[in-house]
Amino acid sequence: GAVCATPFLTENCGRDTVRIFSLNSAFSWMASIIGCAAGGVLPRLLLRFAVAGTYRLTMLASLILLLAGWAILLLMKDGKPRGKKAA
């Protein structure tokens, strides 16, 4: 993700690069922490409900989230951002 994000942000952020890259880093860290925590908590939560194959269901849930993220990336259009039109 970071390899693709750097050129994308550089081309599209304009003057406020420090804030944009800082927010990108903060959101990446938060997503990583939440994902790791969910990957550890979800099998225990499923085990409370006596669901067999808790690790398999956890991996399936992460695969579904990964595919949803890829679908969003595939919907993005290639090209330069449009500037504001003069009134």
Side-chain angles (χ1 to χ4, degrees):
V3 174
C4 297
T6 301
F8 178 77
L9 292 175
T10 303
E11 287 181 3
N12 296 310
C13 71
R15 296 182 331 186
D16 209 8
T17 56
V18 174
R19 182 185 294 175
I20 298 296
F21 276 91
S22 297
L23 285 172
N24 180 48
S25 178
F27 284 133
S28 294
W29 273 99
M30 285 190 312
S32 177
I33 290 169
I34 291 169
C36 288
V41 170
L42 192 59
R44 287 186 182 201
L45 185 65
L46 291 173
L47 196 57
R48 279 193 169 173
F49 296 112
V51 176
T54 58
Y55 291 109
R56 184 176 294 168
L57 288 174
T58 302
M59 292 300 289
L60 183 63
S62 66
L63 178 65
I64 290 169
L65 289 173
L66 178 70
L67 292 175
W70 279 352
I72 291 170
L73 284 176
L74 290 174
L75 291 175
M76 292 178 70
K77 295 188 190 255
D78 189 23
K80 297 281 183 191
R82 297 181 191 180
K84 294 182 180 178
K85 293 183 179 181

